[in-house]
mmCIF file of all heavy atoms in Angstrom:
data_model
loop_
_atom_site.group_PDB
_atom_site.id
_atom_site.type_symbol
_atom_site.label_atom_id
_atom_site.label_comp_id
_atom_site.label_asym_id
_atom_site.label_seq_id
_atom_site.Cartn_x
_atom_site.Cartn_y
_atom_site.Cartn_z
ATOM 1 N N THR A 33 -71.017 3.184 -33.960
ATOM 2 C CA THR A 33 -71.633 2.192 -33.092
ATOM 3 C C THR A 33 -72.206 1.122 -34.002
ATOM 4 O O THR A 33 -73.282 1.302 -34.589
ATOM 5 C CB THR A 33 -72.755 2.802 -32.230
ATOM 6 O OG1 THR A 33 -72.208 3.832 -31.403
ATOM 7 C CG2 THR A 33 -73.387 1.735 -31.344
ATOM 8 N N PRO A 34 -71.500 0.017 -34.188
ATOM 9 C CA PRO A 34 -71.929 -0.998 -35.166
ATOM 10 C C PRO A 34 -73.323 -1.549 -34.866
ATOM 11 O O PRO A 34 -73.710 -1.685 -33.711
ATOM 12 C CB PRO A 34 -70.854 -2.088 -35.027
ATOM 13 C CG PRO A 34 -69.642 -1.353 -34.533
ATOM 14 C CD PRO A 34 -70.201 -0.312 -33.592
ATOM 15 N N LYS A 35 -74.038 -1.858 -35.914
ATOM 16 C CA LYS A 35 -75.386 -2.423 -35.820
ATOM 17 C C LYS A 35 -75.485 -3.669 -36.691
ATOM 18 O O LYS A 35 -74.778 -3.817 -37.673
ATOM 19 C CB LYS A 35 -76.434 -1.407 -36.288
ATOM 20 C CG LYS A 35 -76.517 -0.125 -35.465
ATOM 21 C CD LYS A 35 -77.130 -0.375 -34.105
ATOM 22 C CE LYS A 35 -77.469 0.931 -33.386
ATOM 23 N NZ LYS A 35 -76.302 1.793 -33.149
ATOM 24 N N ASN A 36 -76.412 -4.551 -36.325
ATOM 25 C CA ASN A 36 -76.710 -5.778 -37.074
ATOM 26 C C ASN A 36 -75.457 -6.639 -37.239
ATOM 27 O O ASN A 36 -74.966 -6.857 -38.348
ATOM 28 C CB ASN A 36 -77.323 -5.453 -38.440
ATOM 29 C CG ASN A 36 -78.024 -6.667 -39.040
ATOM 30 O OD1 ASN A 36 -78.000 -7.765 -38.486
ATOM 31 N ND2 ASN A 36 -78.652 -6.463 -40.191
ATOM 32 N N ILE A 37 -74.980 -7.132 -36.116
ATOM 33 C CA ILE A 37 -73.770 -7.960 -36.075
ATOM 34 C C ILE A 37 -74.161 -9.427 -35.998
ATOM 35 O O ILE A 37 -75.109 -9.796 -35.304
ATOM 36 C CB ILE A 37 -72.893 -7.597 -34.850
ATOM 37 C CG1 ILE A 37 -72.546 -6.103 -34.867
ATOM 38 C CG2 ILE A 37 -71.644 -8.456 -34.801
ATOM 39 C CD1 ILE A 37 -71.779 -5.651 -36.079
ATOM 40 N N PHE A 38 -73.411 -10.263 -36.696
ATOM 41 C CA PHE A 38 -73.572 -11.711 -36.574
ATOM 42 C C PHE A 38 -72.207 -12.284 -36.249
ATOM 43 O O PHE A 38 -71.303 -12.284 -37.083
ATOM 44 C CB PHE A 38 -74.122 -12.339 -37.858
ATOM 45 C CG PHE A 38 -74.535 -13.775 -37.691
ATOM 46 C CD1 PHE A 38 -75.847 -14.096 -37.406
ATOM 47 C CD2 PHE A 38 -73.609 -14.807 -37.793
ATOM 48 C CE1 PHE A 38 -76.249 -15.421 -37.237
ATOM 49 C CE2 PHE A 38 -73.994 -16.129 -37.633
ATOM 50 C CZ PHE A 38 -75.317 -16.438 -37.343
ATOM 51 N N ASP A 39 -72.067 -12.779 -35.019
ATOM 52 C CA ASP A 39 -70.809 -13.364 -34.552
ATOM 53 C C ASP A 39 -70.903 -14.881 -34.711
ATOM 54 O O ASP A 39 -71.667 -15.539 -33.996
ATOM 55 C CB ASP A 39 -70.588 -12.985 -33.084
ATOM 56 C CG ASP A 39 -69.264 -13.469 -32.516
ATOM 57 O OD1 ASP A 39 -68.666 -14.403 -33.092
ATOM 58 O OD2 ASP A 39 -68.813 -12.919 -31.499
ATOM 59 N N VAL A 40 -70.140 -15.434 -35.635
ATOM 60 C CA VAL A 40 -70.257 -16.872 -35.919
ATOM 61 C C VAL A 40 -69.783 -17.729 -34.740
ATOM 62 O O VAL A 40 -70.289 -18.839 -34.537
ATOM 63 C CB VAL A 40 -69.497 -17.264 -37.209
ATOM 64 C CG1 VAL A 40 -70.080 -16.546 -38.418
ATOM 65 C CG2 VAL A 40 -68.007 -16.998 -37.087
ATOM 66 N N LYS A 41 -68.820 -17.231 -33.967
ATOM 67 C CA LYS A 41 -68.376 -18.004 -32.807
ATOM 68 C C LYS A 41 -69.480 -18.078 -31.764
ATOM 69 O O LYS A 41 -69.765 -19.151 -31.214
ATOM 70 C CB LYS A 41 -67.122 -17.380 -32.193
ATOM 71 C CG LYS A 41 -66.633 -18.115 -30.948
ATOM 72 C CD LYS A 41 -65.348 -17.523 -30.384
ATOM 73 C CE LYS A 41 -64.891 -18.280 -29.142
ATOM 74 N NZ LYS A 41 -63.609 -17.759 -28.605
ATOM 75 N N LEU A 42 -70.103 -16.960 -31.489
ATOM 76 C CA LEU A 42 -71.192 -16.927 -30.520
ATOM 77 C C LEU A 42 -72.352 -17.794 -30.985
ATOM 78 O O LEU A 42 -72.950 -18.540 -30.196
ATOM 79 C CB LEU A 42 -71.647 -15.482 -30.310
ATOM 80 C CG LEU A 42 -72.785 -15.244 -29.326
ATOM 81 C CD1 LEU A 42 -72.465 -15.844 -27.961
ATOM 82 C CD2 LEU A 42 -73.074 -13.753 -29.211
ATOM 83 N N ALA A 43 -72.660 -17.723 -32.272
ATOM 84 C CA ALA A 43 -73.746 -18.541 -32.812
ATOM 85 C C ALA A 43 -73.431 -20.025 -32.679
ATOM 86 O O ALA A 43 -74.294 -20.830 -32.294
ATOM 87 C CB ALA A 43 -73.978 -18.184 -34.287
ATOM 88 N N ALA A 44 -72.192 -20.409 -32.973
ATOM 89 C CA ALA A 44 -71.798 -21.817 -32.863
ATOM 90 C C ALA A 44 -71.883 -22.295 -31.415
ATOM 91 O O ALA A 44 -72.272 -23.437 -31.148
ATOM 92 C CB ALA A 44 -70.379 -22.007 -33.403
ATOM 93 N N ARG A 45 -71.536 -21.430 -30.482
ATOM 94 C CA ARG A 45 -71.644 -21.798 -29.063
ATOM 95 C C ARG A 45 -73.106 -21.996 -28.668
ATOM 96 O O ARG A 45 -73.442 -22.928 -27.933
ATOM 97 C CB ARG A 45 -71.018 -20.714 -28.182
ATOM 98 C CG ARG A 45 -69.501 -20.595 -28.303
ATOM 99 C CD ARG A 45 -68.983 -19.521 -27.372
ATOM 100 N NE ARG A 45 -69.109 -19.905 -25.973
ATOM 101 C CZ ARG A 45 -69.103 -19.042 -24.954
ATOM 102 N NH1 ARG A 45 -69.016 -17.740 -25.180
ATOM 103 N NH2 ARG A 45 -69.217 -19.482 -23.710
ATOM 104 N N LEU A 46 -73.976 -21.124 -29.141
ATOM 105 C CA LEU A 46 -75.398 -21.245 -28.819
ATOM 106 C C LEU A 46 -76.002 -22.516 -29.387
ATOM 107 O O LEU A 46 -76.979 -23.047 -28.861
ATOM 108 C CB LEU A 46 -76.160 -20.035 -29.369
ATOM 109 C CG LEU A 46 -76.097 -18.742 -28.555
ATOM 110 C CD1 LEU A 46 -76.698 -17.607 -29.358
ATOM 111 C CD2 LEU A 46 -76.816 -18.893 -27.230
ATOM 112 N N LEU A 47 -75.403 -23.010 -30.472
ATOM 113 C CA LEU A 47 -75.917 -24.215 -31.122
ATOM 114 C C LEU A 47 -75.161 -25.461 -30.711
ATOM 115 O O LEU A 47 -75.473 -26.569 -31.166
ATOM 116 C CB LEU A 47 -75.852 -24.046 -32.648
ATOM 117 C CG LEU A 47 -76.681 -22.877 -33.203
ATOM 118 C CD1 LEU A 47 -76.385 -22.662 -34.681
ATOM 119 C CD2 LEU A 47 -78.159 -23.122 -32.976
ATOM 120 N N GLY A 48 -74.149 -25.303 -29.849
ATOM 121 C CA GLY A 48 -73.377 -26.460 -29.386
ATOM 122 C C GLY A 48 -72.584 -27.125 -30.488
ATOM 123 O O GLY A 48 -72.397 -28.347 -30.474
ATOM 124 N N MET A 49 -72.077 -26.352 -31.429
ATOM 125 C CA MET A 49 -71.337 -26.916 -32.560
ATOM 126 C C MET A 49 -69.834 -26.701 -32.374
ATOM 127 O O MET A 49 -69.380 -25.577 -32.240
ATOM 128 C CB MET A 49 -71.789 -26.260 -33.871
ATOM 129 C CG MET A 49 -73.272 -26.437 -34.142
ATOM 130 S SD MET A 49 -73.823 -25.574 -35.633
ATOM 131 C CE MET A 49 -72.985 -26.516 -36.901
ATOM 132 N N GLY A 50 -69.074 -27.800 -32.375
ATOM 133 C CA GLY A 50 -67.633 -27.694 -32.229
ATOM 134 C C GLY A 50 -67.185 -27.895 -30.803
ATOM 135 O O GLY A 50 -67.973 -28.227 -29.911
ATOM 136 N N THR A 51 -65.890 -27.680 -30.577
ATOM 137 C CA THR A 51 -65.329 -27.848 -29.234
ATOM 138 C C THR A 51 -64.698 -26.563 -28.727
ATOM 139 O O THR A 51 -65.031 -26.078 -27.661
ATOM 140 C CB THR A 51 -64.285 -28.976 -29.227
ATOM 141 O OG1 THR A 51 -63.308 -28.729 -30.250
ATOM 142 C CG2 THR A 51 -64.946 -30.327 -29.478
ATOM 143 N N ASN A 52 -63.775 -25.986 -29.518
ATOM 144 C CA ASN A 52 -63.186 -24.727 -29.059
ATOM 145 C C ASN A 52 -63.670 -23.526 -29.869
ATOM 146 O O ASN A 52 -63.348 -22.393 -29.548
ATOM 147 C CB ASN A 52 -61.655 -24.785 -29.090
ATOM 148 C CG ASN A 52 -61.088 -24.966 -30.492
ATOM 149 O OD1 ASN A 52 -61.737 -24.659 -31.486
ATOM 150 N ND2 ASN A 52 -59.876 -25.471 -30.575
ATOM 151 N N TYR A 53 -64.433 -23.759 -30.940
ATOM 152 C CA TYR A 53 -65.095 -22.709 -31.710
ATOM 153 C C TYR A 53 -64.120 -21.715 -32.348
ATOM 154 O O TYR A 53 -64.473 -20.572 -32.639
ATOM 155 C CB TYR A 53 -66.108 -21.945 -30.845
ATOM 156 C CG TYR A 53 -67.106 -22.861 -30.181
ATOM 157 C CD1 TYR A 53 -66.998 -23.179 -28.829
ATOM 158 C CD2 TYR A 53 -68.139 -23.430 -30.915
ATOM 159 C CE1 TYR A 53 -67.897 -24.037 -28.223
ATOM 160 C CE2 TYR A 53 -69.050 -24.291 -30.319
ATOM 161 C CZ TYR A 53 -68.922 -24.592 -28.972
ATOM 162 O OH TYR A 53 -69.816 -25.440 -28.381
ATOM 163 N N SER A 54 -62.866 -22.122 -32.555
ATOM 164 C CA SER A 54 -61.934 -21.261 -33.269
ATOM 165 C C SER A 54 -62.382 -21.132 -34.720
ATOM 166 O O SER A 54 -63.136 -21.975 -35.230
ATOM 167 C CB SER A 54 -60.519 -21.833 -33.220
ATOM 168 O OG SER A 54 -60.444 -23.048 -33.954
ATOM 169 N N LEU A 55 -61.922 -20.080 -35.392
ATOM 170 C CA LEU A 55 -62.304 -19.904 -36.788
ATOM 171 C C LEU A 55 -61.810 -21.070 -37.636
ATOM 172 O O LEU A 55 -62.542 -21.576 -38.501
ATOM 173 C CB LEU A 55 -61.734 -18.587 -37.330
ATOM 174 C CG LEU A 55 -62.031 -18.292 -38.803
ATOM 175 C CD1 LEU A 55 -63.531 -18.255 -39.059
ATOM 176 C CD2 LEU A 55 -61.381 -16.981 -39.232
ATOM 177 N N SER A 56 -60.585 -21.523 -37.384
ATOM 178 C CA SER A 56 -60.044 -22.633 -38.177
ATOM 179 C C SER A 56 -60.872 -23.893 -37.983
ATOM 180 O O SER A 56 -61.112 -24.644 -38.939
ATOM 181 C CB SER A 56 -58.581 -22.894 -37.804
ATOM 182 O OG SER A 56 -58.439 -23.168 -36.425
ATOM 183 N N GLU A 57 -61.365 -24.128 -36.749
ATOM 184 C CA GLU A 57 -62.192 -25.309 -36.514
ATOM 185 C C GLU A 57 -63.537 -25.181 -37.224
ATOM 186 O O GLU A 57 -64.025 -26.145 -37.836
ATOM 187 C CB GLU A 57 -62.428 -25.529 -35.023
ATOM 188 C CG GLU A 57 -63.269 -26.774 -34.751
ATOM 189 C CD GLU A 57 -63.590 -26.980 -33.291
ATOM 190 O OE1 GLU A 57 -64.397 -26.193 -32.763
ATOM 191 O OE2 GLU A 57 -63.028 -27.896 -32.686
ATOM 192 N N LEU A 58 -64.152 -24.004 -37.165
ATOM 193 C CA LEU A 58 -65.440 -23.816 -37.833
ATOM 194 C C LEU A 58 -65.307 -23.955 -39.352
ATOM 195 O O LEU A 58 -66.162 -24.564 -40.005
ATOM 196 C CB LEU A 58 -66.016 -22.441 -37.478
ATOM 197 C CG LEU A 58 -66.499 -22.264 -36.032
ATOM 198 C CD1 LEU A 58 -66.973 -20.840 -35.799
ATOM 199 C CD2 LEU A 58 -67.603 -23.254 -35.691
ATOM 200 N N VAL A 59 -64.237 -23.386 -39.902
ATOM 201 C CA VAL A 59 -64.020 -23.513 -41.343
ATOM 202 C C VAL A 59 -63.803 -24.976 -41.724
ATOM 203 O O VAL A 59 -64.325 -25.459 -42.730
ATOM 204 C CB VAL A 59 -62.822 -22.639 -41.789
ATOM 205 C CG1 VAL A 59 -62.460 -22.921 -43.245
ATOM 206 C CG2 VAL A 59 -63.144 -21.157 -41.615
ATOM 207 N N GLN A 60 -63.045 -25.696 -40.896
ATOM 208 C CA GLN A 60 -62.783 -27.112 -41.170
ATOM 209 C C GLN A 60 -64.080 -27.927 -41.091
ATOM 210 O O GLN A 60 -64.382 -28.723 -41.992
ATOM 211 C CB GLN A 60 -61.759 -27.649 -40.164
ATOM 212 C CG GLN A 60 -61.425 -29.121 -40.321
ATOM 213 C CD GLN A 60 -60.582 -29.396 -41.554
ATOM 214 O OE1 GLN A 60 -59.544 -28.797 -41.742
ATOM 215 N NE2 GLN A 60 -61.027 -30.314 -42.397
ATOM 216 N N ASN A 61 -64.840 -27.719 -40.013
ATOM 217 C CA ASN A 61 -66.031 -28.535 -39.781
ATOM 218 C C ASN A 61 -67.202 -28.176 -40.688
ATOM 219 O O ASN A 61 -67.969 -29.059 -41.106
ATOM 220 C CB ASN A 61 -66.467 -28.415 -38.323
ATOM 221 C CG ASN A 61 -65.483 -29.057 -37.371
ATOM 222 O OD1 ASN A 61 -64.600 -29.803 -37.780
ATOM 223 N ND2 ASN A 61 -65.617 -28.755 -36.085
ATOM 224 N N LEU A 62 -67.361 -26.894 -40.994
ATOM 225 C CA LEU A 62 -68.550 -26.458 -41.729
ATOM 226 C C LEU A 62 -68.300 -26.222 -43.218
ATOM 227 O O LEU A 62 -69.244 -26.230 -44.007
ATOM 228 C CB LEU A 62 -69.116 -25.186 -41.101
ATOM 229 C CG LEU A 62 -69.466 -25.279 -39.608
ATOM 230 C CD1 LEU A 62 -70.098 -23.987 -39.133
ATOM 231 C CD2 LEU A 62 -70.377 -26.462 -39.323
ATOM 232 N N CYS A 63 -67.029 -26.001 -43.582
ATOM 233 C CA CYS A 63 -66.711 -25.733 -44.990
ATOM 234 C C CYS A 63 -65.770 -26.775 -45.582
ATOM 235 O O CYS A 63 -65.533 -26.771 -46.799
ATOM 236 C CB CYS A 63 -66.085 -24.346 -45.138
ATOM 237 S SG CYS A 63 -67.071 -23.005 -44.446
ATOM 238 N N GLY A 64 -65.200 -27.648 -44.732
ATOM 239 C CA GLY A 64 -64.298 -28.676 -45.217
ATOM 240 C C GLY A 64 -62.973 -28.146 -45.723
ATOM 241 O O GLY A 64 -62.344 -28.742 -46.597
ATOM 242 N N VAL A 65 -62.516 -27.014 -45.182
ATOM 243 C CA VAL A 65 -61.273 -26.375 -45.630
ATOM 244 C C VAL A 65 -60.336 -26.221 -44.443
ATOM 245 O O VAL A 65 -60.757 -25.800 -43.362
ATOM 246 C CB VAL A 65 -61.554 -24.991 -46.259
ATOM 247 C CG1 VAL A 65 -60.240 -24.291 -46.634
ATOM 248 C CG2 VAL A 65 -62.456 -25.133 -47.475
ATOM 249 N N HIS A 66 -59.057 -26.558 -44.649
ATOM 250 C CA HIS A 66 -58.051 -26.350 -43.604
ATOM 251 C C HIS A 66 -57.548 -24.915 -43.682
ATOM 252 O O HIS A 66 -57.108 -24.456 -44.731
ATOM 253 C CB HIS A 66 -56.877 -27.318 -43.759
ATOM 254 C CG HIS A 66 -55.750 -27.036 -42.799
ATOM 255 N ND1 HIS A 66 -55.864 -27.246 -41.437
ATOM 256 C CD2 HIS A 66 -54.498 -26.541 -43.015
ATOM 257 C CE1 HIS A 66 -54.734 -26.897 -40.858
ATOM 258 N NE2 HIS A 66 -53.894 -26.468 -41.778
ATOM 259 N N LEU A 67 -57.617 -24.205 -42.568
ATOM 260 C CA LEU A 67 -57.215 -22.802 -42.511
ATOM 261 C C LEU A 67 -55.950 -22.688 -41.661
ATOM 262 O O LEU A 67 -55.984 -22.869 -40.448
ATOM 263 C CB LEU A 67 -58.344 -21.969 -41.889
ATOM 264 C CG LEU A 67 -58.393 -20.476 -42.209
ATOM 265 C CD1 LEU A 67 -58.599 -20.254 -43.694
ATOM 266 C CD2 LEU A 67 -59.515 -19.824 -41.418
ATOM 267 N N SER A 68 -54.836 -22.385 -42.288
ATOM 268 C CA SER A 68 -53.584 -22.235 -41.557
ATOM 269 C C SER A 68 -53.571 -20.929 -40.777
ATOM 270 O O SER A 68 -54.029 -19.887 -41.267
ATOM 271 C CB SER A 68 -52.391 -22.242 -42.535
ATOM 272 O OG SER A 68 -51.191 -21.911 -41.848
#
């Protein structure tokens, strides 16, 4: 039963960051890296 989880997609949604909150979009917007 996993404990102490941090879901970056959920966090980004709570903060209103991005549009579709895909991992590739978050990496592009927050890390400046294109993720194929």
Side-chain angles (χ1 to χ4, degrees):
T33 300
K35 298 288 191 300
N36 198 356
I37 304 300
F38 191 95
D39 184 340
V40 298
K41 178 177 180 178
L42 180 55
R45 292 181 69 200
L46 280 170
L47 299 171
M49 301 176 68
T51 53
N52 63 22
Y53 306 104
S54 67
L55 178 58
S56 57
E57 181 183 71
L58 290 177
V59 172
Q60 179 72 54
N61 292 347
L62 304 184
C63 305
V65 176
H66 174 69
L67 203 62
S68 172

